[in-house]
Amino acid sequence: MKPIIGILPSYDDEKQQIFLNETYVDAVIESGGIPFVLPLTNDQKIVFSAIEKIEGLILSGGTDIDPKYYGEANSGKSLGICPLRDEAEEVYIRLALESDIPVLGICRGMQALNVFCGGSLIQDIPSEHGFSVIHRLEKPEIAFHSLTVEKSSPLSDAMGFGTHTINSYHHQAVKNIAPDFSVCAVSEDGIVEAIYHKNKKFVLGVQWHPERDRETATENKKIVDYFIKICSETKKEKS
């Protein structure tokens, strides 16, 4: 049986619509999982029931997290804040960690893992950190840059350690690392590009989008493939 992978979607406040880029669904299917779009709610009973039914959780990309969650005022650079998503994500992350199911945080999803586990963010890389590496271009252009993956981490297990080139769509980044997490990839300008939980089976956050550019960037496919493999093992343990 294939593992069921819950994917947390985004929310458009203006249109009052839940939405999800199809690349997440396609990537899960191509890697051997069954995608399941999760309800966007902070109701703990509903979230707990959803967590019980999945073998893995993907925290998708999206807009910025309200800085109040890491003890800062909005500098004016944190944009598109969605209270519903923030509230829902906080509950999903807490219950997923308590259940010790595999978690893959992508872009905003990595930032959410860090924030809701006690870390903080750089609200805007260009104004706070500089332009030595371009981490985001205006659509439809895509930024690419290199990073270094450390040995002995879930990320190196998935894609190998050393230097890799990845896509980049973000203007915020991890600042202070959450307790129980470690950094496992850094860009040339020192921006944290991946983190993992030191005490859980598999909780990995990556700042780029491994669900995209899978045909041209084989390392991206390796990350999703490895995540689905871990989720398959979790399903076997459950049965």
Side-chain angles (χ1 to χ4, degrees), residues 21 31 36 47 51 64 69 91 121 137 148 162 184 190 213 220 232:
N21 193 312
S31 293
F36 178 78
V47 173
I51 292 291
D64 298 340
Y69 286 100
V91 177
L121 300 179
L137 294 170
T148 302
C184 53
D213 310 311
N220 282 344
S232 296

Side-chain angles (χ1 to χ4, degrees), residues 64-70 72 74 78 81-83 86 108 115:
D64 298 340
I65 298 165
D66 193 325
K68 72 179 184 181
Y69 286 100
Y70 47 95
E72 292 186 13
N74 192 335
S78 290
I81 290 168
C82 176
D86 288 347
R108 174 205 158 97
V115 167

Side-chain angles (χ1 to χ4, degrees), residues 5-10 19-21 24 28 36-41 47 51 54 56-63 65 85-97 101-117 181 195 202-212 227 231:
I5 310 301
I7 309 173
L8 200 65
S10 294
F19 65 95
L20 181 71
N21 193 312
Y24 293 99
V28 169
F36 178 78
V37 181
L38 294 163
L40 199 61
T41 177
V47 173
I51 292 291
I54 62 177
L57 171 64
I58 291 178
L59 304 169
S60 64
T63 53
I65 298 165
R85 174 132 192 213
D86 288 347
E87 293 167 9
E89 217 155 32
E90 183 177 28
V91 177
Y92 271 100
I93 288 171
R94 177 168 55 80
L95 294 182
L97 292 181
I101 65 168
V103 179
L104 177 61
I106 294 173
C107 200
R108 174 205 158 97
M110 181 185 98
Q111 295 169 6
L113 278 172
N114 190 60
V115 167
F116 295 124
C117 291
F181 279 78
I195 61 174
F202 184 97
V203 177
L204 173 67
V206 296
Q207 188 58 73
W208 66 99
H209 283 264
E211 85 285 2
R212 303 181 188 179
F227 172 66
C231 294

Side-chain angles (χ1 to χ4, degrees), residues 152-166:
S152 303
S153 72
L155 185 59
S156 63
D157 291 341
M159 67 188 295
F161 65 90
T163 303
H164 298 275
T165 298
I166 48 91

